[in-house]
Amino acid sequence: MKDAPLLLRRTDQRPSSHQPTHRLPATMSDKPDISEVTNFDKTKLKKTETQEKNPLPTKETIEQEKAETS
């Protein structure tokens, strides 16, 4: 019987395109540009009022619900 061609690839080895590459040293283009952040004008923001959508129950509410279920 002839040797059959190997059709299955071993799963414990990654193809060469997935091998880790060496890291190049950081350059200025790799760092984030924070100039916009430092020049940001907070006074141009609109005032908003925060409303809690799902507030936690108070201690009294918890005690009341415990009494109702017991």
Side-chain angles (χ1 to χ4, degrees):
M1 185 167 148
K2 292 184 178 180
D3 289 333
L6 183 61
L7 300 176
L8 299 175
R9 183 176 62 188
R10 290 179 55 181
T11 57
D12 62 339
Q13 292 180 346
R14 293 182 176 170
S16 61
S17 63
H18 291 250
Q19 293 295 329
T21 58
H22 64 284
R23 296 277 304 176
L24 297 174
T27 61
M28 288 299 284
S29 62
D30 293 338
K31 297 179 182 177
D33 179 19
I34 60 167
S35 63
E36 293 295 324
V37 176
T38 56
N39 297 331
F40 184 74
D41 184 10
K42 294 180 190 177
T43 61
K44 292 184 179 179
L45 292 174
K46 291 189 241 178
K47 298 290 181 192
T48 60
E49 191 172 319
T50 305
Q51 294 180 349
E52 198 168 334
K53 291 183 179 182
N54 190 9
L56 295 174
T58 63
K59 186 176 181 178
E60 293 78 22
T61 306
I62 294 172
E63 294 298 326
Q64 181 183 3
E65 288 180 1
K66 279 185 184 178
E68 291 173 0
T69 58
S70 296

